[in-house]
């Protein structure tokens, strides 16, 4: 019986690479479906942020996925939600809570974050202090880098149709950015577009809710004023009727 010839190593490596790419594609397509479903069902910005960051972090096994809302009037970033791997949570310890209440001021002039406001589709760094300088202690960041292997932070602006930046998606990896495959990079860009559209919709919905609430309050205030006016007219007419009746009697006598 003839012994089959061994498969050349270069072909084996290529097959392995193709299988990995196929697995990533399938996982990415599944995640995109899930994100679309989340964007349809979630109407509150905080709920949307929590579900989206958890889905991406879990499905793609990223160490950190954070969604930040940008306030252009205050030029400030505020955390909507951040999902972290278990090892990153343990590495951060008490500082883990800081990530859920982070507020970064002067964003447009920030050395790193400012890049996403200058038209750049994304930016990244392997120096964690460039993102969280003075917000999280350098010791904690160093521990996170060593124990959780948090190596690269990628920042994607969430941009809508008029090029307005609604916020930033932050992804933390345990590998260099260059190790991301082309399809992975393209998939993340697709995620960013879905998230930006979904966040825009929830913010509009939230604004409509606030306006509706204000209109209801104004309506109640108008009702109160109308009732007060009616009571005032009733009291005034009553107060005037008594002296006018007496005056009318005296006039008739004259």
């Amino acid at each position: 019986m003839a012994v089959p010839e061994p498969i050349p190593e270069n072909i084996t490596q290529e097959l392995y690479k193709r299988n990995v790419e196929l697995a990533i594609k399938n996982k990415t397509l599944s995640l995109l479906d899930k994100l679309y479903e989340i964007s349809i069902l979630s109407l509150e910005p905080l709920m949307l942020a929590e579900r989206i960051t958890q889905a991406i972090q879990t499905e793609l096994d990223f160490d950190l996925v954070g969604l930040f809302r940008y306030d252009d009037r205050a030029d400030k970033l505020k955390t909507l939600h951040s999902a972290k791997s278990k090892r990153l949570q343990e590495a951060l310890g008490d500082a883990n809570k800081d990530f859920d209440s982070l507020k970064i001021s002067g964003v447009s002039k920030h050395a790193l974050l400012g890049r996403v406001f200058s038209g750049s589709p994304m930016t990244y760094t392997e120096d964690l202090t460039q993102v969280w300088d003075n917000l999280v202690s350098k010791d904690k960041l160093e521990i996170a880098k060593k124990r959780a292997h948090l190596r690269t932070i990628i920042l994607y602006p969430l941009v809508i149709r008029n090029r307005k930046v609604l916020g930033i998606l932050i992804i933390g990896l345990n590998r260099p950015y260059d190790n991301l495959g082309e399809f992975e990079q393209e998939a993340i860009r697709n995620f960013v577009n879905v998230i930006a559209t979904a966040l825009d919709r929830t913010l509009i919905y939230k604004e409509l809710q606030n306006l509706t609430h204000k209109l209801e309050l104004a309506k109640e205030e108008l009702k109160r004023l109308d009732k007060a006016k009616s009571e005032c007219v009733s009291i005034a007419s009553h107060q005037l009727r008594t002296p006018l009746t007496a005056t009318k009697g005296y006039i008739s006598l004259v």
Side-chain angles (χ1 to χ4, degrees):
M1 183 175 180
V3 178
E5 294 184 5
I7 301 175
E9 185 178 350
N10 62 333
I11 295 179
T12 302
Q13 291 177 348
E14 184 64 25
L15 287 173
Y16 175 77
K17 181 181 177 182
R18 293 291 177 86
N19 286 333
V20 170
E21 289 179 353
L22 183 60
I24 293 173
K25 287 181 180 180
N26 290 335
K27 185 181 292 187
T28 302
L29 291 173
S30 174
L31 179 55
L32 271 174
D33 287 339
K34 185 175 292 187
L35 293 181
Y36 276 118
E37 182 180 352
I38 291 172
S39 67
I40 292 171
L41 297 177
S42 304
L43 294 176
E44 292 289 334
L46 293 178
M47 181 185 296
L48 175 80
E50 181 178 356
R51 291 180 176 179
I52 279 182
T53 53
Q54 290 287 0
I56 296 176
Q57 191 278 319
T58 302
E59 293 294 328
L60 299 184
D61 197 27
F62 291 151
D63 281 288
L64 173 67
V65 180
L67 190 56
F68 291 77
R69 170 81 172 98
Y70 178 58
D71 182 352
D72 55 351
R73 289 174 295 183
D75 194 24
K76 182 182 295 184
L77 277 177
K78 180 181 179 181
T79 308
L80 289 177
H81 195 269
S82 61
K84 298 171 282 292
S85 65
K86 186 175 180 180
R87 62 185 178 185
L88 179 58
Q89 292 181 44
E90 292 174 350
L92 289 171
D94 294 336
N96 179 42
K97 297 179 181 178
D98 296 338
F99 277 81
D100 298 325
S101 57
L102 277 180
K103 293 181 181 179
I104 306 175
S105 302
V107 179
S108 62
K109 298 177 182 178
H110 192 281
L112 178 68
L113 298 173
R115 296 178 194 171
V116 300
F117 292 89
S118 61
S120 175
M122 60 78 67
T123 187
Y124 69 93
T125 179
E126 292 187 12
D127 182 0
L128 306 188
T129 59
Q130 284 191 317
V131 183
W132 293 291
D133 190 24
N134 299 323
L135 297 171
V136 179
S137 69
K138 292 183 179 180
D139 292 339
K140 283 292 183 183
L141 291 176
E142 191 63 28
I143 291 172
K145 190 170 183 178
K146 290 181 178 179
R147 288 182 55 189
H149 310 293
L150 187 61
R151 179 164 178 178
T152 305
I153 299 296
I154 316 174
L155 303 98
Y156 295 89
L158 301 174
V159 182
I160 53 176
R161 54 198 170 278
N162 57 359
R163 307 308 300 166
K164 178 181 178 181
V165 178
L166 294 178
I168 293 179
L169 177 69
I170 292 182
I171 294 177
L173 304 176
N174 58 2
R175 47 187 163 143
Y177 176 77
D178 294 338
N179 284 8
L180 277 177
E182 183 178 341
F183 186 82
E184 286 179 290
Q185 296 179 31
E186 182 182 352
I188 295 174
R189 287 193 293 269
N190 290 333
F191 296 159
V192 170
N193 293 332
V194 173
I195 295 169
T197 302
L199 181 59
D200 184 36
R201 187 173 61 85
T202 59
L203 292 174
I204 291 174
Y205 177 77
K206 187 72 174 177
E207 187 176 347
L208 288 174
Q209 275 190 321
N210 292 337
L211 288 173
T212 301
H213 180 63
K214 289 179 180 179
L215 287 173
E216 288 176 351
L217 292 177
K219 183 180 178 181
E220 291 299 319
E221 180 65 13
L222 285 173
K223 285 182 178 179
R224 188 187 67 79
L225 291 174
D226 186 58
K227 183 179 179 182
K229 181 198 72 173
S230 299
E231 290 176 352
C232 180
V233 170
S234 176
I235 292 171
S237 62
H238 176 73
Q239 294 295 331
L240 288 171
R241 189 179 296 116
T242 301
L244 285 175
T245 301
T247 303
K248 184 178 178 182
Y250 286 119
I251 290 174
S252 64
L253 287 174
V254 172

